[in-house]
């Protein structure tokens, strides 16, 4: 299993054009210039869409508020870590 893991890591590195250094490279082109956590951003957009489809009822607003409250601190920590 370890040999297979090393082989896959090498294949992924060669496919991406970078060496397998174990260092995470943060994307910086396109929308990544402005968005540090795209998965959080699109989850919030999906809740906004859910709210729009339901006419902006109280439940949709509550779910959006809960998502912002739950993901906000994590996104802030991740963004500051990425900016270092």
């Amino acid at each position: 299993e370890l040999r297979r893991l090393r082989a896959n890591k090498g294949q992924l590195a060669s496919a991406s054009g970078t060496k397998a250094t174990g260092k995470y490279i943060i994307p910086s082109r396109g929308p990544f210039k402005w968005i540090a956590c795209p998965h959080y951003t699109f989850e919030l957009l999906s809740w906004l869409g859910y709210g729009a489809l339901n006419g902006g009822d109280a439940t949709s607003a509550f779910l959006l508020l809960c998502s912002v409250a739950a993901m906000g601190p994590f996104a802030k920590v991740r963004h500051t870590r990425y900016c270092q």
Side-chain angles (χ1 to χ4, degrees):
E1 290 297 318
L2 290 175
R3 270 188 268 144
R4 187 178 314 149
L5 177 65
R6 274 189 242 133
N8 287 341
K9 188 175 179 180
Q11 288 173 351
L12 288 173
S14 65
S16 67
T18 61
K19 292 186 177 183
T21 60
K23 184 177 179 183
Y24 181 73
I25 299 171
I26 300 168
S28 60
R29 296 190 325 199
F32 292 105
K33 291 180 203 175
W34 304 286
I35 299 173
C37 302
H39 50 294
Y40 292 162
T41 303
F42 286 105
E43 183 167 346
L44 292 176
L45 285 174
S46 68
W47 282 119
L48 283 171
Y50 178 80
L53 289 174
N54 286 319
D57 63 346
T59 305
S60 301
F62 177 73
L63 289 172
L64 178 64
L65 182 66
C66 288
S67 295
V68 170
M71 291 184 290
F74 293 114
K76 185 174 182 172
V77 168
R78 182 165 290 178
H79 181 73
T80 55
R81 193 176 75 198
Y82 282 170
C83 291
Q84 292 177 355

